[in-house]
Amino acid sequence: MGDPDRMPEVTAEDERWMKRALQLAAEAAAIGEVPVGAVVVLDGKEIGAGFNAPISGCDPTAHAEIRAMRDAAARVGNYRLSGATLYVTLEPCTMCVGAIVHARVSRLVYGATEPKAGAIESARRTLEEPHLNWDVVAVGGVLARQCGQVISEFFGRRRADIRRLRNQASGKE
């Protein structure tokens, strides 16, 4: 996240694009995936989009961020995305942060923090590791309440479904 005295500002555009990422998260939820959405923006235009699909795609790397960057790279014809901003509804994991650095994304904007696996500020501070050869400006907390609510509601429904199935199996329902 860098120097706290130089925290990057959140703009109206950041909120606009995070709302787009939330739409993509809803697509993930609709197919039973953890609802995380991501969009890559360059020069004010969407160049890539993705949502979580590791289960449906049988692909452990099919996180929203990875899919959005793959889409963007294919559209622009370059695996480097310097100058681009990646918006994602949930703080990226270590794998995704590595891909963000390798893709040369210039700015990362995320919504909710991820206490267990977040690699920006929660579980790790990967972008602060001195060996990295690319600086990414990270801004967290954009529409954090909405982004966190989507995740909380998803897992709340999942837990309720599990309880219901257990009760059915034990004859309590």
Side-chain angles (χ1 to χ4, degrees):
M1 297 275 298
D3 182 354
D5 295 329
R6 293 186 14 225
M7 290 303 290
E9 289 188 35
V10 174
T11 67
E13 282 295 291
D14 291 338
E15 291 188 1
R16 171 186 171 218
W17 290 111
M18 190 60 72
K19 288 176 183 173
R20 169 69 176 126
L22 280 163
Q23 291 171 343
L24 293 160
E27 290 185 46
I31 62 169
E33 296 279 359
V34 175
V36 179
V39 61
V40 180
V41 175
L42 181 64
D43 298 325
K45 295 183 176 86
E46 179 178 316
I47 61 167
F51 56 81
N52 260 9
I55 299 165
S56 59
C58 294
D59 179 356
T61 69
H63 289 197
E65 302 93 309
I66 302 291
R67 296 181 77 217
M69 289 186 290
R70 284 177 180 159
D71 186 34
R75 287 192 202 186
V76 300
N78 192 339
Y79 73 106
R80 299 290 197 207
L81 300 172
S82 56
T85 299
L86 172 65
Y87 294 88
V88 61
T89 58
L90 188 65
E91 179 183 3
C93 70
T94 304
M95 174 186 69
C96 290
V97 172
I100 290 164
V101 169
H102 285 292
R104 304 295 193 258
V105 169
S106 295
R107 189 164 177 259
L108 165 68
V109 179
Y110 60 94
T113 56
E114 213 299 38
K116 292 181 181 175
I120 302 297
E121 66 176 285
S122 297
R124 295 189 63 171
R125 293 182 169 273
T126 307
L127 289 177
E128 295 174 14
E129 293 180 14
H131 65 277
L132 295 180
N133 61 352
W134 182 255
D135 289 326
V136 179
V137 174
V139 180
V142 175
L143 301 182
R145 186 186 57 75
Q146 296 94 316
C147 293
Q149 185 175 355
V150 167
I151 295 283
S152 294
E153 289 174 357
F154 174 82
F155 284 109
R157 283 190 303 273
R158 183 176 274 181
R159 285 188 298 273
D161 289 346
I162 290 168
R163 279 191 302 274
R164 185 177 40 75
L165 289 172
R166 281 186 188 148
N167 287 340
Q168 284 175 347
S170 66
K172 291 182 183 176
E173 207 171 275

